[in-house]
Amino acid sequence: MPRTLHTYTVVPSLPERLSPLRELAYNLRFSWDPDTKALFETMDAALWESTDNNPAKLLGLVAQSRLTELADDGTFLAELDRVYATFQAYMADGGWWGHTHQGEFPADFKIAYFSAEFGITECLPIYSGGLGVLAGDHMKSASDLNLPLVGMGFLYQRGYFRQGLNADGWQIENYPTTDFYSLPIEQVFAKDGAPLVISVDFPGRKVFVKLWKAQVGRIPLYLLDTNLPENSENDRHIAGNLYGGDNETRMQQEIVLGIGGIHALDAMGITPTVCHMNEGHSAFLSLERARRLVQEKGLTFLQASEAAGAGNLFTTHTPVPAGFDLFPPDLMGKYFWGYAGALGLSFDEMLDRGRVHPGDRNEKFNMAALAFRQARYINGVSELHGVVTRKMVQPSWPDFPLEEVPVGYVTNGIHTPSFLSVPIRELLEKYLGEINAENLANPEFWTRIDDIPDTELWDAHELNRQRMVEWARKYQTAKFVRRGAGEREVEQATEILDPHTLTIGFARRFATYKRGNLLMRDIERLKRILNSTDKPVQFVFAGKAHPKDDAGKDLIRQIVHFTRGEDVRRRFVFLEDYELNMARYLVQGVDVWLNNPRRPMEASGTSGMKVVANGGLNFSVLDGWWAEGYDPSVGWAIGRGEEYDDHAYQDHVEAMDIYETLEREIVPLFYKRGADGLPVGWLAKMKASMKKLSPLYSTARMVQEYAETYYVPAAHRAAKVADANFATAKALVAWKKNIRQHWGNVKIETVTTPSKDKIAAGEPSSITATVHLGNVLTPADVSVQLFAGPVDADRSMIAFTSTPMTLGKDNGTGVYEYTGSLPSDNSGQQGFTVRVLPFHPDAVLPQELPLITWE
């Protein structure tokens, strides 16, 4: 091997007439535009499939003679011109939300969205599963809405693993190396024309990071690459595997993503107003944003955190504390001892920013705790997950009712055009109108589903099922041939599934809480369901277990062993190496999507949303998004939202519920046909599901909600806090210090209640509270509230309203009278109390200051 290696890149030589192909290939909009994909497939269908639908690689591999031929093909050129014109119109358009809400944006408004993974297209392997696909869909809808947003992530050398199965059905992981120069991405260049490279300080050295850009419609996604000759061998592999390596590798990745990501934006002249942390992997960015203000603006760390935190949003997808990244103090010391000084903190003070219990020197540094402290806006990813998250973090707000713990929620969605089948898309365009972000998020658009004739909807759905079956047979056969399977096994692969049989899909990460083997609690009963002579059922399973999760791998092994039985092999199939292309075939082709996690462990889930617009129905535990989306007209529930301490009993009860619902409801409804051969009841459920759920569970709605609930308010707040040389930030820090020092003086001395214990509905009934604030705090520093609502037999308040009381007399010596009126709208046993909270018009409370005094 030579000591010196010179590299160069070969690019395709496109005839001038075909030059628009390059622009189309290097914008990931092709991944959700069926016409653009069809155009590339027309060039060479076999090559398109073999490149994982990668147009950049296709252009580099297609024969020059074929390019010359296409340059003279009038039909191809007409389609190219049409597709390119549509692309140019999309890029030039203002985007429906961004255009109509432009006046709400502050000056220089820019959102930076950080995520460890992005699932945009199968040919860009920088994702592992739901979190990444959600991030990719977020980018696509940000493009559709034309938000001023950029993405920041990693360009992994080997990404997540490709799944194989050995003879025993045990998962084996393969890590193919990605050739960055064949991907639909481009290097970012500095002003001098050289590739843009930034550096991040590591112990005793610098790690160099190169920038690449994936253009996602109108939105740039910047990707960090450490595989550079300037780095040591170990440092080159920091961006090696997604979620790979040991704890120190994970820390290195998160330093590069969070701190390096901010460096990269700065090097490109991008100053984000709002930073959105998609999970805690990028939470070090919150320290780096503060450090820059300390170093450049002369602020204290608390002032800098106030200013930076005003524009930080943290979204958590984790339902259990164990899901957060934890780093021991000695490892933190190795990488952050000097960094703490740059923040103006001692090392122990810096560690306290990431400790659930500040001051506990044995406690590990928690990335979620850091994000919670450094972000003024926090949300979960479904209504139920918001409740679960509030329970997790309530110890930080111990005196507050659960409902007032400052964690909101934005229920996840999916980028509908990315998963919509061509037959269904054509039907929607014919009867509903144009497929665009504005329409997809509009419930009125979907009400026209009823205008689609049942025959046409059922024909499109059956065509999708048939396409899925044909693809699965071809896919499975190719896998068996590559594995060197015997002739009989290869022949059997061509016989799997039936295009006319009720088909149920189950595809997701094989973590134990998702209970991939729940369906197999009663094997004989399951076989009877599968092999019914007149009403058969078939299942398609897919999914990966984490490389270190042997329990998850064993679930897969159990399922694979079951699928090999001669009496089930055609009707119960496991497809290995689940990825985006397979996901599209499954969500478009199944009749029912099964999901049976152990409630409340599913933060949201999005796979079930992907079947909705394609006419598939959901059959799921009432967890995540289905807990809010379910009603009997749109699908089926497993259980009624119960939570169990005895997991074995829970598994038994819910497995029996699955069998019962299949036998008594789902199977009979599917096979009940009218005189015209159509399943009228099933079609009614399909239409109800599409009509109700499609506009709600789309990222068009989701990203709009993020913009209105978080991005725009955070941007305005960040601008206000930074105004006049950060005067508001400095004032808030001083105010908080004053409040903390003197809050112990706050007492509710007396509450004067009505003289009678019964009042008529609607009758006003006044109360008075005497509040002692001391000699320093004033009424302007507090909110005195009447806290009232119905109570149960145990004298516990079961719902409440909090109403500000009105300042009355100043009794001198720091004592004030407040008055209020008891609510009397509802009859029955009611209760009330009085409380005092800090108040400041520029503070986000109680997020910033969890203080409260009760009567």
Side-chain angles (χ1 to χ4, degrees), residues 37 55 69 82 123 186 217 240 585 604 622 627 654 668 690 765 812 842:
K37 286 198 285 190
E69 178 187 333
R82 186 187 70 81
C123 70
E186 298 178 293
Y585 276 103
S604 173
L622 294 175
E654 292 181 348
M690 296 171 80
S765 184
D842 295 324

Side-chain angles (χ1 to χ4, degrees), residues 100 202 384 400 449 515 535 755:
T100 56
F202 270 44
L384 179 59
F400 284 80
I449 283 286
R515 300 188 295 179
K535 297 183 180 68
S755 57

Side-chain angles (χ1 to χ4, degrees), residues 54 145 177 186 211 259 404 525 567 642 667 674 697 710 796:
N54 180 347
L145 274 65
T177 300
E186 298 178 293
L211 270 291
I259 297 176
E404 293 188 322
R525 191 171 182 181
D567 52 348
E642 303 91 346
V667 175
Y697 299 102
Y710 293 115
S796 297

Side-chain angles (χ1 to χ4, degrees), residues 370-417:
L370 174 66
F372 273 113
R373 279 206 180 83
Q374 298 293 113
R376 292 296 170 262
Y377 303 93
I378 304 163
N379 73 281
V381 289
S382 70
E383 184 175 12
L384 179 59
H385 182 237
V387 175
V388 170
T389 305
R390 286 193 286 276
K391 287 179 180 176
M392 276 199 294
V393 304
Q394 192 170 26
S396 297
W397 290 270
D399 295 323
F400 284 80
L402 181 67
E403 295 85 348
E404 293 188 322
V405 172
V407 177
Y409 76 92
V410 175
T411 302
N412 283 344
I414 58 111
H415 186 252
T416 308

Side-chain angles (χ1 to χ4, degrees), residues 558-565 568-570 572-574:
Q558 292 174 37
I559 290 166
V560 171
H561 276 242
F562 177 70
T563 66
R564 292 173 177 170
V568 301
R569 63 175 177 80
R570 289 183 180 86
F572 204 105
V573 175
F574 184 89

